[in-house]
Amino acid sequence: MFISIGFNLKTNLKIKQIDHKDYIFCAWRHKYVRLTPEEWVRQQFLHRLVEELHYPHGLIAVEVQLIGKRADAVVYNKQMEPLIIIECKREDVALTQQTLDQAVIYNRQLNVPYLILHNGPTTIVTHITQDEPQFLTTIPEWTQLSR
C-alpha cells in the first residue's frame, strides 16, 4: 500500500554553504551534514513527524548503528525500546521490494512493530504482527503509539 502524505511543514530548515557545498543542520545529530537528496527527504520527514504527528524529538535517533549497517532513523518509545525503523530514499528512487527488504533486515536486529519507507512523494507504512504484515494507509500519530 502506497500513501501520499501532505504535510504543512512550518519549520525553516537551516541550510548553509561550506566550500561551495550545501549543508543542512540535523537537529538530532546537533551538527551540519552534507545536504544530499536523501538527507533532504530525511530531514523533511523527521521534522514533519515532530511538528504534525507530535513525535517527541528526543525519542528519534538518526543514523542508528546496527551490526554492519545503519538505519536512517529509529523512533523509540518512552522506555527507550525501538518502535519504528524509518528508511528514506531520495525523491527519484522508487520504494520497491528491495527497499522493504532492507528495512526487514534492519528489523532482525531491532524487532520493531513498525517500518516506514519514505521517498518524499510516497510513504509505505507497515505494521509487523505475528501474522502477516499489515500495510497501513496513514502514519500513526504519536498518541496512537504511546498508549
Side-chain angles (χ1 to χ4, degrees), residues 47-144:
H47 281 276
R48 290 170 176 166
L49 288 179
V50 171
E51 292 179 16
E52 299 194 14
L53 297 175
H54 313 293
Y55 283 55
H57 181 278
L59 295 180
I60 299 172
V62 173
E63 294 280 328
V64 175
Q65 187 65 49
L66 305 172
I67 298 172
K69 306 279 183 195
R70 238 190 318 230
D72 284 335
V74 175
V75 177
Y76 295 87
N77 63 19
K78 292 177 182 176
Q79 291 74 39
M80 294 307 293
E81 300 163 333
L83 184 62
I84 301 171
I85 294 172
I86 300 169
E87 180 59 31
C88 295
K89 300 294 181 191
R90 60 182 203 249
E91 289 185 12
D92 62 344
V93 173
L95 300 177
T96 63
Q97 182 64 46
Q98 184 178 3
T99 313
L100 181 57
D101 291 345
Q102 181 181 1
V104 168
I105 289 169
Y106 297 164
N107 199 30
R108 288 182 186 150
Q109 293 182 46
L110 296 179
N111 196 30
V112 300
Y114 293 92
L115 303 175
I116 297 178
L117 313 176
H118 180 71
N119 70 354
T122 305
T123 304
I124 299 172
V125 182
T126 307
H127 182 216
I128 309 296
T129 64
Q130 298 256 338
D131 303 316
E132 294 287 317
Q134 299 174 344
F135 290 92
L136 306 180
T137 57
T138 60
I139 299 168
E141 288 198 30
W142 178 254
T143 54
Q144 295 172 294

Side-chain angles (χ1 to χ4, degrees), residues 18-33:
I18 302 172
D19 295 328
H20 306 290
K21 295 179 183 170
D22 290 330
Y23 286 77
I24 188 166
F25 186 76
C26 177
W28 289 270
R29 291 176 276 183
H30 308 287
K31 66 180 182 179
Y32 279 89
V33 297

Side-chain angles (χ1 to χ4, degrees), residues 4-39:
S4 294
I5 55 173
F7 288 108
N8 297 314
L9 189 60
K10 299 174 187 93
T11 298
N12 293 321
L13 299 175
K14 297 177 188 174
I15 298 172
K16 71 178 181 177
Q17 279 199 338
I18 302 172
D19 295 328
H20 306 290
K21 295 179 183 170
D22 290 330
Y23 286 77
I24 188 166
F25 186 76
C26 177
W28 289 270
R29 291 176 276 183
H30 308 287
K31 66 180 182 179
Y32 279 89
V33 297
R34 185 82 161 87
L35 180 55
T36 63
E38 183 175 317
E39 190 64 42

